[in-house]
Amino acid sequence: MDALIKGIAGLGLEIWHEFVYILPFLAIGVLLEATIRTFKWHVKIRKALTRFGVISILLATLLGVASPLCACATLPLVISLLLAGLPLAPAMALLVTSPLMSPAGYTLLNWELGVGWANVILVSAIFMGLYAGYLTHFLRRYGFSEERLFRQALPAGDFHDPDYPVEELRCDCGKQLSHRVDRCTHNKFLVFLAKFWEGSLKIGKFTLIGLLIEVVASSLIPHEWVAALLEGEGIMPILTLTFATIPLHLPQVTAAAMLYGFVSPEVGEGITLAKGSGIALLIGGPVTALPVMAVFISMFRKRVLFLYLGLCISGTLLLAFTYRLLPFSF
């Protein structure tokens, strides 16, 4: 019993030690996201999406990169935009890009894996949005039009209404602390503080989950197995990581924090992350979040789910193999 307690205490100390190392950049990322949410810059871009035709794919991609929303929060937004007349192509670009990059995600990647990897994932996220959007636009003529998306017609109404009949789409943002503060005070600074607190809890939670996975994996999984996947330059590590992460709920912040514990020479094992494996984990993991898959299955026709998965998997593999073959690293 004493050995078990000591083991748990040791794991807790190791997680805390690694968390303290990344805390400064975590705070910077949360600060950026709180600023964006307070002034609603992402909302202003979102309102323009339905008015710019094919160019809206590019706008949706940029919104996905800049938005602090995760995949689970983006999907109800995407559905509401589809019902408001947004074509499927920019909607798919936004949905694919949003979980891959955010201000907090970029700052944390910068600190945990270096500026090179942060820029690679930023470029990869933009590519994924454009790839998903323009390929979906091309497939419109093959049955992927807006009239044939949903399993059944969705009830009219506002997703923000607490009585909206579809529970999976009902937004509870009105219950958030920042919205209550805004209704009571209309003070931007107090709203900013509330959004900073909400972001700290959300991003801090996903960061700690990533560190927990890394610490437990380091303790239970032989080092050579982990190294073979993360350092491997062959094809199999890329395929293994890409398909193994499909059923996992692995947000980008969690994936980055998990990798940090393996590659950091200060607090981790000093593993050199291979180019292809890094893309497979940091792109393939976040883009196929389980909650998103559940809503896709319940709301959309099967062909839309298969399109989304096909875009995510093929885009990830294309990026991973391309970056692996490049004669240089960023």
Side-chain angles (χ1 to χ4, degrees):
M1 188 66 178
D2 290 342
L4 177 62
I5 294 175
K6 288 181 180 178
I8 294 174
L11 290 177
L13 286 173
E14 190 171 346
I15 292 171
W16 175 251
H17 181 54
E18 295 185 16
F19 184 74
V20 169
Y21 261 81
I22 65 176
L23 193 57
F25 271 71
L26 179 99
I28 293 173
V30 173
L31 180 69
L32 290 172
E33 293 201 356
T35 303
I36 291 172
R37 292 182 61 213
T38 299
F39 292 99
K40 299 182 179 180
W41 292 335
H42 60 300
V43 175
K44 295 175 183 178
I45 301 175
R46 185 180 75 204
K47 290 180 178 178
L49 288 181
T50 58
R51 302 199 299 266
F52 288 99
V54 178
I55 300 176
S56 62
I57 295 173
L58 174 60
L59 293 177
T61 299
L62 297 178
L63 173 60
V65 169
S67 173
L69 298 179
C70 63
C72 303
T74 302
L75 185 53
L77 164 65
V78 164
I79 294 175
S80 68
L81 289 173
L82 286 169
L83 295 177
L86 183 70
L88 179 60
M92 194 67 78
L94 175 59
L95 187 58
V96 168
T97 308
S98 189
L100 297 179
M101 183 52 63
S102 66
Y106 183 84
T107 55
L108 285 171
L109 279 168
N110 201 318
W111 176 254
E112 293 167 338
L113 302 178
V115 65
W117 269 110
N119 290 334
V120 165
I121 300 305
L122 174 60
V123 172
S124 297
I126 294 173
F127 167 82
M128 287 290 286
L130 298 177
Y131 173 76
Y134 286 108
L135 189 54
T136 301
H137 179 72
F138 172 77
L139 292 173
R140 277 180 59 86
R141 68 192 74 174
Y142 300 105
F144 290 98
S145 60
E146 288 68 46
E147 296 79 20
R148 305 180 63 183
L149 297 181
F150 299 104
R151 285 179 174 271
Q152 57 187 6
L154 294 176
D158 188 349
F159 289 2
H160 298 278
D161 187 341
D163 297 323
Y164 186 76
V166 183
E167 184 177 356
E168 293 91 336
L169 301 179
R170 193 185 306 144
C171 179
D172 61 354
C173 62
K175 300 177 183 178
Q176 293 177 353
L177 174 63
S178 57
H179 286 266
R180 298 201 303 269
V181 170
D182 192 19
R183 288 195 298 268
C184 294
T185 68
H186 302 293
N187 185 300
K188 287 289 187 184
F189 180 68
L190 293 179
V191 171
F192 167 78
L193 292 179
K195 290 188 181 293
F196 183 85
W197 171 250
E198 291 168 351
S200 298
L201 292 179
K202 181 188 73 173
I203 299 171
K205 174 185 70 176
F206 287 130
T207 301
L208 285 172
I209 291 173
L211 295 177
L212 175 63
I213 293 172
E214 175 270 321
V215 170
V216 173
S218 297
S219 302
L220 301 179
I221 301 175
H223 174 82
E224 56 271 17
W225 291 9
V226 176
L229 282 176
L230 299 184
E231 293 183 321
E233 296 290 349
I235 295 175
M236 284 310 298
I238 295 175
L239 295 176
T240 300
L241 288 171
T242 298
F243 288 98
T245 53
I246 290 176
L248 300 180
H249 181 29
L250 194 66
Q252 188 204 67
V253 173
T254 300
M258 181 179 67
L259 282 176
Y260 171 70
F262 287 116
V263 306
S264 170
E266 291 86 6
V267 299
E269 302 180 31
I271 291 175
T272 301
L273 182 61
K275 294 188 291 185
S277 298
I279 292 290
L281 194 58
L282 291 169
I283 296 295
V287 82
T288 53
L290 267 182
V292 174
M293 297 297 100
V295 176
F296 256 104
I297 292 171
S298 61
M299 295 285 119
F300 290 92
R301 295 178 184 268
K302 290 181 180 179
R303 64 171 60 196
V304 183
L305 170 63
F306 292 144
L307 172 64
Y308 178 76
L309 283 175
L311 292 170
C312 293
I313 294 170
S314 63
T316 299
L317 292 175
L318 181 60
L319 282 168
F321 287 123
T322 300
Y323 189 39
R324 171 179 172 268
L325 293 174
L326 289 179
F328 57 87
S329 299
F330 293 99

